[in-house]
Amino acid sequence: MTRKFRLSLKITVEANPYYYYLNTIKHLKMSSGGVITQMLTLVPIKEGFLKDLEIYAEENSVPIIHKEVSDLLKVLLKVQKPKRILEVGCAIGYSSIFFATIIGKDADIITVERNEKMIEKAKENIKLAGFDNNITILEGDAEEKLSQVQGEFDLIFIDAAKGQYKLFFDLVIDKLKDGGLLVSDNILYKGMVAHDDFVVRRKKTIVKRMRNYLDYICNCDYLSTSLVPIGDGVALSYKESKRGDVDGIK
Ligand code: SAH
Ligand code: MG
């Protein structure tokens, strides 16, 4: 069988040299030595139900995870083999269904969504995908719903209002197992978080909050965080034991 690929050429403008918020952007600068870095990505085209959802999302401007990010998460899920996932920001259910497809019948996914239209569509999609026993939607604002969530999770995916990531983090971090993975999506927010030149005035506060959030998760002593500049930017944070590791070295 021949595999189809979509070839996408991306031009990434690197960060202001005086503004080293993101280590990943520094790496880009070092490796390119120029002002513009070209990233060539080969993204396999998905088929089937997920593909239909991608088309729906595109046509209806629903911000589902980028293909590059879902490819990375697929690899991580195959390695980590999580069973329980907590997601903040369900939208039409695309990422939840994507996770469930990888994990299979043992998947236990809780996802939070406040937009009624999205909830309705997500329910329909989850049923069509055959995961209504695996995916539970908590309907309402994350601030209220997350405090009601019981138990521990192997992976937590934050993908909702970008100005509220620290609030979501505070509500979920104790529910993440030691050795668990926290994934935060859209951390570069169209490049605005990496570079002041991209910031539009009305997004200033959100950008400032996201930068503070990244600062926090990059310097948190029980997290090992990597900021990955693919898609709209994704942060991967591995959670160590809060009590310190075996060697006592932090
Ligand atoms: N994870 C999805 C995309 C989520 S888009 C995917 O990749 O397929 C972000 C969603 O978060 C939107 O549908 C929005 O309504 C929801 N959202 C944003 N802030 C929220 C909040 N505070 N509580 C609940 N849902 C929220
Ligand atoms: Mg997202």
Side-chain angles (χ1 to χ4, degrees), residues 20 47 84 117 125 136 151 201 227 249:
Y20 285 148
E47 276 163 19
R84 290 204 88 209
K117 277 194 182 143
N125 289 332
T136 309
R201 190 187 286 265
L227 307 179
I249 301 166

Side-chain angles (χ1 to χ4, degrees), residues 162 186-193 203 206-207 210 232-233:
K162 291 164 202 76
N186 305 96
I187 53 146
L188 294 183
Y189 198 14
K190 299 176 179 166
M192 288 189 279
V193 175
K203 301 288 183 188
I206 293 176
V207 168
M210 185 60 90
D232 197 26

